Amino acid sequence: MYDTLNDPRVKDLYQNKANKFDLYFGEYFMNSHELGLAHKLKVPIILSLPAQPFDFVGSLIGNPRELSYVPTVNVAVEQGKWMSFSQRLQNFCMSWLLRIFMIKQHMGNKKKYELLYGHDSDLPKYEDLTKNISLIFFNSHSLSEGPVRPNLPGIIEIGGIQVKDQPDPLPDNIANFLDNSKHGAILFSLGSNVRSSHLSQKVVTSMFRVLSGLKQNVIWKWDQIENIPGNSSNIMFSKWLPQDDILAHPNIKLFITHAGKGGIIESQYHGKPMLALPVFADQPHNAAVMVNFGFGLSLEMIKFEETLFKDRLNEILENPKYTQSVENFSRLYRDRPLTARETVLYWTEYVLRHHGAKHLQSPIVHMSFIEANNLDIFALFLSVLVIIIMFLLFVIRLLFILFKDSLVNEKEKQK
């Protein structure tokens, strides 16, 4: 992104005085230097993050860090329960590790910002870039996903934003395949990052052997159509799939997924149980959360075994508790005053209507570290306490001296 911001065509956006902008709308993930463009354009900022309000992002607009009951990265808590001591310890340590990591990221971002805009005295210091943020959209929905957390007005949750309010018609071949699945169907997709070449031949052969033996039909996303794992009447291979629209089909009984956040959200929205095959990044955590909610089972790809794969598939397909759990969640997830898309439109227009909506901002954004943490008040209390202690010590010492002198005088009188 640094090279993009340095491109003459991007610079022309603010150098050309004829250009007029009302808002900067960008995705945020450890890229604070990019906010300099918004200050160049002299517009308010709306950010988006494809995740929940993690403390290190929510803190940009002053969202409180409640580490005792709000999990951060890689801490999965069962729905309706609270963190155990070990989980709270893990949560606390992870939060502080992320803060240290973010300090390093900010050092790199600050260098980029100064290289891009350091010559412009009209721009704020790097540390003040985030003070122009109006609100942040998060791809989450705490009311259904939990846990309940204290979110500021500038935290807007739009979980499921990628899900269409009404699914599009499926391509004829897929529609016919699903419509004719009298025993139901399974969608199998490992996303766009995990390609067929990343899987060993042994794993692929095992997957095909299990899936081809099912009575359900299977739609399998496979990027090498010229080299499919095998032929079976119940399996359709496709290089590209309209995942959201397929999951909306009533005959889909199971989603085999790599546990990417987007896919899990779509499956939850449509009330489909899952078998997760996580590979890397946030996938193991997403899978653990999904399992804790009772929406399915997980089998790490690195531990893949044909027997385990078959057993867990059959468990989900034959035990209705997984479908019931995710369907109950789906009803709660959809129960909102506005859809996710309507929410984005409303709040974006709200910021525009109110010229940045500064009233949404927490005062803490504009306070120094000392003020925000009441360190000056603690310093005052400590000073007063020290003065009181010193005064008491002085009084005690004075009394001791007076008492000592009186004893000496009394002894002299007795002589």
Side-chain angles (χ1 to χ4, degrees):
M1 189 62 183
Y2 171 81
D3 293 335
T4 301
L5 292 173
N6 219 13
D7 191 285
R9 291 168 293 181
V10 175
K11 290 183 176 181
D12 182 65
L13 295 176
Y14 51 83
Q15 291 174 344
N16 186 343
K17 302 303 181 183
N19 291 331
K20 300 294 181 184
F21 296 91
D22 299 306
L23 181 70
Y24 175 96
F25 198 127
E27 185 172 20
Y28 181 84
F29 192 70
M30 297 182 289
N31 53 339
S32 298
H33 69 280
E34 296 176 16
L35 302 183
L37 178 59
H39 289 271
K40 274 287 191 181
L41 299 173
K42 296 181 172 59
V43 294
I45 299 169
I46 291 179
L47 299 179
S48 66
L49 186 78
Q52 65 194 54
F54 292 128
D55 62 353
F56 69 94
V57 179
S59 61
L60 289 175
I61 59 174
N63 217 43
R65 286 180 161 112
E66 299 293 341
L67 299 180
S68 62
Y69 62 93
V70 178
T72 185
V73 182
N74 292 334
V75 179
V77 182
E78 190 173 344
Q79 189 180 28
K81 296 189 177 181
W82 48 90
M83 288 185 282
S84 63
F85 174 81
S86 60
Q87 287 176 317
R88 284 187 287 113
L89 177 61
Q90 180 186 352
N91 202 47
F92 182 88
C93 294
M94 182 61 69
S95 176
W96 278 99
L97 284 173
L98 284 171
R99 294 186 206 195
I100 296 169
F101 175 73
M102 288 304 296
I103 290 173
K104 180 181 178 182
Q105 291 298 314
H106 283 309
M107 290 171 61
N109 274 302
K110 185 176 182 178
K111 289 180 181 178
K112 292 177 182 178
Y113 176 69
E114 290 174 348
L115 287 171
L116 286 165
Y117 307 113
H119 60 280
D120 192 338
S121 59
D122 293 332
L123 288 190
K125 296 185 297 183
Y126 172 80
E127 291 76 15
D128 295 331
L129 283 177
T130 57
K131 294 181 179 180
N132 201 33
I133 297 174
S134 298
L135 57 85
I136 306 179
F137 289 120
F138 289 89
N139 195 6
S140 59
H141 187 245
S142 294
L143 286 178
S144 57
E145 296 172 334
V148 171
R149 65 180 77 221
N151 285 337
L152 292 173
I155 298 287
I156 308 296
E157 296 192 287
I158 54 169
I161 181 62
Q162 79 275 26
V163 181
K164 302 182 185 74
D165 295 337
Q166 291 294 330
D168 292 332
L170 292 169
D172 289 342
N173 61 330
I174 295 177
N176 292 332
F177 187 74
L178 291 177
D179 290 342
N180 294 321
S181 300
K182 63 180 181 178
H183 298 291
I186 297 169
L187 174 61
F188 182 12
S189 173
L190 297 180
S192 55
N193 290 323
V194 180
R195 306 184 66 82
S196 57
S197 57
H198 298 153
L199 305 176
S200 70
Q201 187 58 49
K202 179 181 178 181
V203 167
V204 173
T205 300
S206 295
M207 287 177 172
F208 179 79
R209 187 157 46 232
V210 172
L211 295 175
S212 61
L214 297 174
K215 61 182 180 180
Q216 291 82 10
N217 283 343
V218 179
I219 299 181
W220 189 341
K221 183 179 180 295
W222 187 260
D223 56 86
Q224 296 185 39
I225 295 302
E226 69 284 354
N227 185 29
I228 60 175
N231 290 297
S232 177
S233 59
N234 74 320
I235 299 179
M236 171 189 287
F237 293 95
S238 180
K239 193 171 185 178
W240 174 86
L241 292 171
Q243 181 169 286
D244 177 34
D245 302 317
I246 291 175
L247 287 169
H249 195 283
N251 281 346
I252 291 292
K253 305 301 180 186
L254 173 65
F255 180 32
I256 304 175
T257 172
H258 63 305
K261 179 68 173 177
I264 284 186
I265 286 174
E266 292 167 11
S267 196
Q268 290 174 167
Y269 183 89
H270 294 295
K272 310 297 182 181
M274 290 161 274
L275 174 59
L277 303 175
V279 181
F280 61 93
D282 64 333
Q283 295 165 12
H285 172 69
N286 296 338
V289 172
M290 180 272 292
V291 171
N292 279 343
F293 271 65
F295 301 160
L297 299 173
S298 178
L299 173 60
E300 290 186 34
M301 190 66 80
I302 196 172
K303 300 176 182 178
F304 185 91
E305 291 182 14
E306 183 174 335
T307 304
L308 289 176
F309 183 58
K310 182 178 181 180
D311 289 345
R312 292 180 190 182
L313 270 177
N314 288 329
E315 165 64 15
I316 299 170
L317 289 169
E318 296 172 5
N319 192 332
K321 71 175 185 179
Y322 303 102
T323 300
Q324 290 169 0
S325 293
V326 74
E327 285 179 348
N328 289 338
F329 176 87
S330 176
R331 285 189 286 272
L332 184 61
Y333 193 67
R334 297 180 186 219
D335 193 356
R336 315 180 193 185
L338 297 172
T339 66
R341 298 186 178 200
E342 290 170 341
T343 300
V344 170
L345 288 174
Y346 175 82
W347 284 105
T348 301
E349 291 172 351
Y350 183 94
V351 169
L352 292 171
R353 282 197 303 271
H354 296 283
H355 311 290
K358 294 291 185 181
H359 56 278
L360 290 177
Q361 291 186 327
S362 168
I364 201 172
V365 172
H366 303 282
M367 299 168 72
S368 68
F369 179 82
I370 291 175
E371 294 170 328
N373 292 279
N374 284 327
L375 297 183
D376 48 355
I377 293 177
F378 292 136
L380 174 62
F381 288 161
L382 182 61
S383 299
V384 171
L385 181 62
V386 169
I387 291 171
I388 292 173
I389 292 173
M390 290 179 66
F391 176 75
L392 290 174
L393 290 174
F394 172 77
V395 171
I396 292 171
R397 184 178 180 185
L398 181 62
L399 291 172
F400 177 78
I401 293 172
L402 293 173
F403 179 72
K404 183 178 179 182
D405 289 343
S406 65
L407 286 176
V408 171
N409 293 333
E410 186 66 30
K411 286 181 180 179
E412 289 178 351
K413 287 179 181 180
Q414 290 176 356
K415 289 181 180 179

